[in-house]
């Protein structure tokens, strides 16, 4: 199966691109060692490796899919194995549902493990450099503004969401503060 050549998420942000650039080498290292990594482990490893980068320090596992989508676009456009197949959910030990819709995770991981990623690293750097130039940064908002936006949207749409969405409150607030539209934030936490 081939993956999509368009982003699953509308409006890729500068933050998405910057974090994709940090996550990619971690994924390549996992590929070399032939092992998978959870979304949470990916984010924590990035934080340890880049303590001086605020975007990395503010990253959360819930929004990692957006960042991995940038990596998926890169691999798809070049007909490379999708290295994001190595990122799995802690709960079910498998890739996210969006990945599974377009790939067979086990077959893709086999392709990833067999591929020589050394040849691609410089090309990925150029891809990120170009993506940064072509991406506009979203306007971040304060926690107070995020709370207002979340509350208003929830009250207008609460019949569309399960009661358990309340447990995702802090994740929604963090996404909103990144400048992601409120409807997209709710969709992301539901699908995570």
């Amino acid at each position: 199966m081939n993956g999509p050549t368009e982003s699953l998420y509308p409006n890729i942000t500068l933050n998405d691109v910057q974090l994709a650039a940090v996550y990619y080498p971690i994924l390549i290292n996992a590929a070399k060692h032939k092992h998978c990594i959870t979304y949470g482990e990916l984010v924590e490893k990035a934080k340890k490796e880049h303590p001086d980068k605020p975007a990395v320090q503010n990253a959360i596992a819930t929004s990692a899919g957006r960042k991995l989508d940038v990596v998926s676009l890169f691999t798809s456009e070049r007909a490379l194995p999708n290295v994001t197949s190595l990122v799995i959910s802690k709960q079910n030990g498998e890739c996210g549902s969006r990945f599974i819709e377009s790939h067979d995770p086990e077959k893709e991981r086999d392709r990833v493990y067999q591929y020589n990623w050394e040849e691609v690293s410089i090309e990925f750097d150029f891809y990120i450099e170009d993506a940064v130039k072509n991406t506009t940064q979203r306007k971040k908002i304060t926690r107070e503004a995020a709370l207002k936006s979340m509350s208003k949207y929830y009250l207008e749409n609460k019949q569309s969401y399960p009661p358990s969405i309340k447990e995702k409150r802090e994740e929604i607030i963090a996404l909103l503060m990144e400048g992601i539209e409120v409807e997209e934030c709710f969709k992301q936490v539901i699908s995570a």
Side-chain angles (χ1 to χ4, degrees), residues 7-17 66 69-70 135-138 179-181 184 188:
S7 177
L8 296 173
Y9 300 96
N11 306 315
I12 291 176
T13 67
L14 182 58
N15 180 267
D16 295 336
V17 174
R66 291 184 59 87
D69 196 41
V70 174
T135 305
T136 56
Q137 188 164 5
R138 286 192 176 161
I180 298 171
E181 295 296 322
E184 178 63 21
Q188 279 189 47

Side-chain angles (χ1 to χ4, degrees), residues 66-94:
R66 291 184 59 87
K67 288 58 171 157
L68 294 172
D69 196 41
V70 174
V71 177
S72 290
L73 286 171
F74 170 77
T75 58
S76 181
E77 288 172 4
R78 288 153 184 80
L80 298 170
N82 192 329
V83 72
T84 67
S85 64
L86 303 181
V87 185
I88 58 173
S89 167
K90 182 179 178 180
Q91 285 78 19
N92 66 15
E94 193 50 88

Side-chain angles (χ1 to χ4, degrees), residues 68-151:
L68 294 172
D69 196 41
V70 174
V71 177
S72 290
L73 286 171
F74 170 77
T75 58
S76 181
E77 288 172 4
R78 288 153 184 80
L80 298 170
N82 192 329
V83 72
T84 67
S85 64
L86 303 181
V87 185
I88 58 173
S89 167
K90 182 179 178 180
Q91 285 78 19
N92 66 15
E94 193 50 88
C95 298
S97 59
R98 289 185 176 174
F99 185 91
I100 293 171
E101 289 172 7
S102 58
H103 296 83
D104 177 334
E106 288 184 29
K107 286 183 182 176
E108 202 60 30
R109 283 191 282 270
D110 287 342
R111 290 182 62 218
V112 167
Y113 295 150
Q114 293 172 21
Y115 195 79
N116 180 3
W117 291 99
E118 295 298 324
E119 300 172 2
V120 185
S121 293
I122 292 174
E123 190 175 348
F124 184 76
D125 292 342
F126 288 131
Y127 176 79
I128 290 296
E129 187 177 305
D130 190 48
V132 166
K133 288 177 190 172
N134 295 315
T135 305
T136 56
Q137 188 164 5
R138 286 192 176 161
K139 183 179 179 189
K140 296 186 179 201
I141 62 172
T142 65
R143 182 174 177 81
E144 183 180 326
L147 281 167
K148 285 180 184 177
S149 178
M150 176 187 65
S151 297

